[in-house]
Amino acid sequence: MLKLYRMLKFLVCIGLITTFLGCAATQKQESTGQYVDDSVITTKVKAAIFNEATLKTLQINVKTFKGVVQLSGFVDSAQSVKKAGEVAGSVNGVVSVNNDLVVK
């Protein structure tokens, strides 16, 4: 009976360790909390860009990974590229901005 109890304790410990390591962040993968935070940042950046009168375009794509925002897509002028980068950088929670927008 004691051996069964120890074996069960061991299996529960292994299960808990596996669960916690599965939720941990790595360099190429976010934790669940980071994913939610990045989703919120992405939404805020998209809203800020949409609310900017000079940037009313749906051709700007926004992706966020660990607080770093990547802008991609097409805009009409070089001023729009600069303005989009400034607007994205001003959002709370943004660590940095990779501005890959292209003038068409």
Side-chain angles (χ1 to χ4, degrees), residues 31-76:
S31 69
T32 305
Q34 287 173 330
Y35 179 79
V36 171
D37 291 345
D38 285 344
S39 297
V40 170
I41 291 171
T42 298
T43 303
K44 287 181 179 179
V45 169
K46 285 181 179 182
I49 287 173
F50 186 75
N51 289 332
E52 179 63 37
T54 59
L55 296 174
K56 288 211 183 264
T57 179
L58 298 176
Q59 294 183 346
I60 297 176
N61 298 315
V62 180
K63 292 186 179 180
T64 307
F65 183 73
K66 294 187 178 181
V68 178
V69 173
Q70 179 181 3
L71 302 176
S72 61
F74 299 98
V75 292
D76 295 332

Side-chain angles (χ1 to χ4, degrees), residues 4-51:
L4 180 64
Y5 179 70
R6 284 185 182 166
M7 183 66 95
L8 185 59
K9 261 175 79 175
F10 177 75
L11 290 175
V12 168
C13 286
I14 294 295
L16 288 174
I17 289 171
T18 304
T19 301
F20 289 127
L21 289 178
C23 294
T26 62
Q27 286 184 343
K28 296 184 181 188
Q29 184 178 4
E30 297 173 300
S31 69
T32 305
Q34 287 173 330
Y35 179 79
V36 171
D37 291 345
D38 285 344
S39 297
V40 170
I41 291 171
T42 298
T43 303
K44 287 181 179 179
V45 169
K46 285 181 179 182
I49 287 173
F50 186 75
N51 289 332

Side-chain angles (χ1 to χ4, degrees), residues 71-93:
L71 302 176
S72 61
F74 299 98
V75 292
D76 295 332
S77 66
Q79 289 103 359
S80 295
V81 172
K82 184 177 177 184
K83 186 65 175 178
E86 291 171 357
V87 169
S90 69
V91 172
N92 191 19

